[in-house]
Amino acid sequence: GDSVTQMEGPVTLSEEAFLTINCTYTATGYPSLFWYVQYPGEGLQLLLKATKADDKGSNKGFEATYRKETTSFHLEKGSVQVSDSAVYFCALTGGNNFNKFYFGSGTKLNVKP
Amino acid sequence: EPEVTQTPSHQVTQMGQEVILRCVPISNHLYFYWYRQILGQKVEFLVSFYNNEISEKSEIFDDQFSVERPDGSNFTLKIRSTKLEDSAMYFCASSGMGQGADEQFFGPGTRLTVL
């Protein structure tokens, strides 16, 4: 069935460091891919999405490219800030089922000043 | 900006008791969802709801669970007889069209603690 695997955390970086959080997926059909972010005490917020192969989603300096050949959707940011500290979830929907999201286990990011 | 709201933010209950978790989806959305996240684990799909009926449910969503849209604004999740393993964060979500690429908007969650 459809699934998402993302790197385990926590990831601890210094401010202005480069961030990569790996995400790979398994899906039949043509899924859409998402990154959600959860700040402490808050719900899940959409960070970015990509709906077809080679699409790049971007928002707030974060980027991820939908790579069908490697079934990946890695999240990157060139220079992280303390305010980026949160839990990041990779997710997919579509494939054979457009009615629910499949989430990865989440990666906690801690950014130190 | 419209948002999904959930109440209560934290619910503590005794094992075997019934709980109702409440959600107010975004007003013009048509599809509604419940997910749960056991501490330290993945966010898991429970159920989706459209046109006043369940459109899909996971194997987690057994006979102890039910959902309802009692009026034009609320969407509830009921657990009839809670178990210790029901302790989790429960997220409500809604979406406009329910299509594959459509964003689901999530509420802040209700933390359920079963003692």
Side-chain angles (χ1 to χ4, degrees):
Chain A
D2 295 356
S3 68
V4 174
T5 302
Q6 61 182 104
M7 64 188 286
E8 292 196 17
V11 173
T12 301
L13 296 173
S14 298
E15 207 165 20
E16 299 183 2
F18 185 84
L19 168 71
T20 300
I21 299 178
N22 289 338
C23 171
T24 57
Y25 68 89
T26 301
T28 51
Y30 302 94
S32 296
L33 302 173
F34 303 77
W35 276 99
Y36 277 82
V37 58
Q38 185 180 29
Y39 297 103
E42 299 184 15
L44 299 167
Q45 301 174 25
L46 179 69
L47 181 60
L48 53 85
K49 68 180 182 183
T51 59
K52 60 183 188 297
D54 299 325
D55 268 3
K56 178 186 281 188
S58 61
N59 186 25
K60 299 181 181 178
F62 291 89
E63 293 182 340
T65 301
Y66 187 162
R67 302 277 187 212
K68 192 167 170 59
E69 64 276 14
T70 54
T71 61
S72 65
F73 193 55
H74 304 322
L75 182 68
E76 296 182 336
K77 186 175 186 183
S79 176
V80 293
Q81 306 300 312
V82 172
S83 57
D84 294 327
S85 297
V87 181
Y88 293 81
F89 293 90
C90 186
L92 71 81
T93 191
N96 282 337
N97 191 332
F98 286 83
N99 210 17
K100 63 184 178 183
F101 274 46
Y102 296 86
F103 283 88
S105 54
T107 302
K108 185 171 184 179
L109 171 65
N110 295 315
V111 180
K112 299 190 171 183
Chain B
E1 186 175 330
E3 59 182 15
V4 177
T5 59
Q6 290 184 242
T7 54
S9 56
H10 191 190
Q11 173 91 46
V12 181
T13 190
Q14 296 290 325
M15 189 169 57
Q17 295 296 303
E18 175 183 286
V19 295
I20 297 176
L21 309 183
R22 302 180 191 279
C23 169
V24 178
I26 293 173
S27 62
N28 61 348
H29 282 182
L30 302 176
Y31 292 79
F32 314 112
Y33 312 84
W34 284 100
Y35 293 80
R36 80 171 186 191
Q37 183 184 25
I38 295 172
L39 187 64
Q41 297 186 24
K42 287 188 179 189
V43 177
E44 301 172 290
F45 169 80
L46 291 178
V47 66
S48 58
F49 190 86
Y50 170 71
N51 200 26
N52 281 323
E53 61 183 28
I54 291 173
S55 46
E56 185 168 356
K57 59 184 181 180
S58 72
E59 59 189 22
I60 302 168
F61 195 88
D62 62 22
D63 292 345
Q64 293 299 311
F65 291 87
S66 62
V67 290
E68 192 177 29
R69 188 154 163 81
D71 53 40
S73 60
N74 289 284
F75 179 51
T76 62
L77 174 70
K78 181 192 291 186
I79 309 175
R80 288 193 184 80
S81 178
T82 49
K83 308 185 195 74
L84 295 176
E85 54 265 37
D86 294 327
S87 295
M89 181 73 87
Y90 289 81
F91 293 104
C92 173
S94 69
S95 67
M97 297 295 292
Q99 298 304 309
D102 206 53
E103 175 186 351
Q104 290 186 14
F105 292 78
F106 285 79
T110 293
R111 181 169 297 285
L112 176 64
T113 301
V114 182
L115 303 176

